Amino acid sequence: MRIRFYFFLLAIIIISVFALLMWLTFSTHPVIFYVAEGMLVLVLIYLILFYQKVLRPIDTLAGGMELLRDQDMSTTLALSGQKETDEIVKTFNALITRLRNEHLRISEQNTFLNLLIEASPMGVVLCDLSGNIRSMNPAAQQMLSPTLSEAMQTLPQGESITLRLSNSQIYCLSHLSFLDRGYQHPFFLIESLTSEVMKAEKAAYEKVIRMIAHEVNNNVAGIVSTLDLVGEELQGNSSLDALDASRERTLKMAEFVTRFANVVKVPDPQLALCDLSEEVEACRSFLEGLCQAQNIRFTLQLTDEATPVHLDTTLFQQALVNIVKNAVESIGTGGEIKIETHPKSLIVTDNGRGISPEVAPHLFTPFYSTKPQGQGLGLLLIRDILTKHACTFTLLTDPVDSRTRFTIVFP
């Protein structure tokens, strides 16, 4: 553009000089006038040819450079009429076409990749070169928790770990990277393994429990019948007390195994629209009885707002009783248990001995218990019931007030 400006400025100056010369010599020197007029025509022809042969190709190439600088991939250059220049123009146009097609392909791939990441059930967390979180997809926003955030800070690049959280969720966390512009950009993948692991666990313990229950119950029935017959023969004998004790222990063993068998028989819920506060209120007297037996203060804080949720009332009440029973056992005597209802959520709070960070990830593991005589069935039953209701739930001890809260959020 600047070359074209200087060329036209020079042409105007030359034409002006010749015009002035012709005006001065028109009346006094007619010969000089005609010579000047001829020279002016020749200069004009030369300038036109010079522009066509030299300046126009340069101007065309300069325009191409501006297109590249502005990243304009939609415009191509016109041929200048110069063979050498036109070869460059053709090469430039071919390059622009390839760049445009490549740009379009990469743009379409990036659009597809962004849509795929947004819709992916796996959590994707992108970080900057310093390791700080830059962005994440919706799945990662739902999965991310303080435990996962802490693990992300300590997990070496290229490694993966499996985490079981206190809300029974199980995740596989992977620390990976991708190359962009010569730099390794770190990112994290969070994959939920909860449903797969829970199905595998349930299939395993169902098979074991059914086998044990079948064998034990078959033997117990025969043993109890035999003991009853022997007891009839030993009426009035001092050995009868020992026989009764053996019979009682045998029946307790059968009851013990039956409790395991009942865990795997949780039916699918028959959901109906209910008021959450009303269902909690219906359990008040029974829950108060559990607490009064241990001198524990029991309070209900029911919201005044409507709390419609879809529940199987029998299963829900069974889960609620087990939650309160666990809280009673955690307190021992002389504590406090409070149940709060909110729209779409319920919170059971107690001031028992609390849950340590080491224990929290194992709470909903099958048959895990911190109690000396515990069987690890209560939380397992609660987990299965709440999962069948599509609820999300957490069981944590708040480090600020040292109170343990079982929070249930309904869909």
Side-chain angles (χ1 to χ4, degrees), residues 279-294:
E279 295 303 321
V280 174
E281 180 66 37
C283 299
R284 178 196 288 267
S285 58
F286 184 80
L287 299 177
E288 285 179 341
L290 286 177
C291 295
Q292 287 174 0
Q294 300 296 324

Side-chain angles (χ1 to χ4, degrees), residues 202 206 262-272 311-316 318 384-390:
K202 190 170 185 179
E206 279 182 355
N262 289 336
V263 172
V264 301
K265 295 179 181 178
V266 177
D268 291 331
Q270 303 299 315
L271 299 178
L311 292 176
D312 182 313
T313 56
T314 302
L315 290 178
F316 168 73
Q318 186 176 5
D384 285 351
I385 291 175
L386 295 180
T387 300
K388 286 178 179 291
H389 280 79

Side-chain angles (χ1 to χ4, degrees), residues 14-299:
I14 293 174
I15 292 172
S16 299
V17 170
F18 273 98
L20 179 62
L21 181 62
M22 292 169 63
W23 180 74
L24 292 175
T25 60
F26 177 72
S27 58
T28 57
H29 300 84
V31 176
I32 296 176
F33 169 78
Y34 290 115
V35 171
E37 187 178 31
M39 291 182 64
L40 176 60
V41 172
L42 292 175
V43 168
L44 288 175
I45 295 173
Y46 175 79
L47 289 175
I48 292 172
L49 293 174
F50 183 80
Y51 177 78
Q52 293 289 339
K53 300 294 185 180
V54 179
L55 295 185
R56 185 177 177 185
I58 294 175
D59 192 45
T60 300
L61 296 178
M65 296 303 102
E66 288 189 10
L67 292 177
L68 287 178
R69 184 169 56 250
D70 297 338
Q71 297 185 1
D72 183 355
M73 306 294 178
S74 61
T75 306
T76 55
L77 300 180
L79 297 177
S80 64
Q82 289 293 321
K83 182 179 179 181
E84 296 80 3
T85 304
D86 287 347
E87 291 297 325
I88 298 175
V89 168
K90 291 177 182 178
T91 303
F92 178 86
N93 289 341
L95 177 62
I96 283 288
T97 301
R98 291 178 61 182
L99 286 175
R100 181 173 63 249
N101 293 337
E102 189 68 17
H103 179 77
L104 181 61
R105 185 181 66 84
I106 293 174
S107 177
E108 290 174 345
Q109 287 183 347
N110 287 338
T111 301
F112 173 73
L113 181 60
N114 289 334
L115 291 174
L116 189 64
I117 291 175
E118 289 295 308
S120 173
M122 294 181 63
V124 181
V125 181
L126 300 178
C127 302
D128 57 24
L129 295 178
S130 301
N132 300 315
I133 294 177
R134 190 178 67 193
S135 64
M136 64 182 73
N137 67 343
Q141 293 175 0
Q142 294 180 356
M143 296 177 184
L144 205 60
S145 66
T147 303
L148 279 174
S149 299
E150 183 178 348
M152 288 166 60
Q153 295 176 2
T154 58
L155 182 64
Q157 188 169 319
E159 296 189 9
S160 300
I161 57 172
T162 301
L163 299 171
R164 185 187 289 264
L165 307 187
S166 61
N167 59 356
S168 82
Q169 298 297 308
I170 304 170
Y171 297 109
C172 176
L173 178 65
S174 302
H175 189 183
L176 307 172
S177 64
F178 63 92
L179 188 65
D180 182 30
R181 300 174 188 176
Y183 293 96
Q184 292 289 344
H185 292 257
F187 71 98
F188 292 90
L189 286 181
I190 308 172
E191 182 180 5
S192 177
L193 304 178
T194 307
S195 58
E196 291 80 3
V197 172
M198 287 178 63
K199 287 178 182 177
E201 288 179 348
K202 190 170 185 179
Y205 69 67
E206 279 182 355
K207 184 176 181 180
V208 173
I209 288 174
R210 286 196 181 101
M211 182 179 65
I212 293 175
H214 176 75
E215 295 297 326
V216 170
N217 288 331
N218 285 346
N219 289 312
V220 164
I223 294 172
V224 171
S225 296
T226 302
L227 291 176
D228 288 340
L229 291 174
V230 174
E232 293 176 1
E233 297 295 330
L234 294 178
Q235 289 294 334
N237 193 301
S238 59
S239 301
L240 188 59
D241 291 340
L243 191 67
D244 289 340
S246 298
R247 183 179 183 278
E248 183 179 351
R249 293 302 304 164
T250 302
L251 291 174
K252 285 187 177 296
M253 180 179 65
E255 181 184 353
F256 176 83
V257 174
T258 301
R259 289 186 61 197
F260 278 98
N262 289 336
V263 172
V264 301
K265 295 179 181 178
V266 177
D268 291 331
Q270 303 299 315
L271 299 178
L273 190 61
C274 307
D275 188 278
L276 178 61
S277 296
E278 290 180 2
E279 295 303 321
V280 174
E281 180 66 37
C283 299
R284 178 196 288 267
S285 58
F286 184 80
L287 299 177
E288 285 179 341
L290 286 177
C291 295
Q292 287 174 0
Q294 300 296 324
N295 195 29
I296 295 173
R297 187 159 65 92
F298 177 78
T299 56

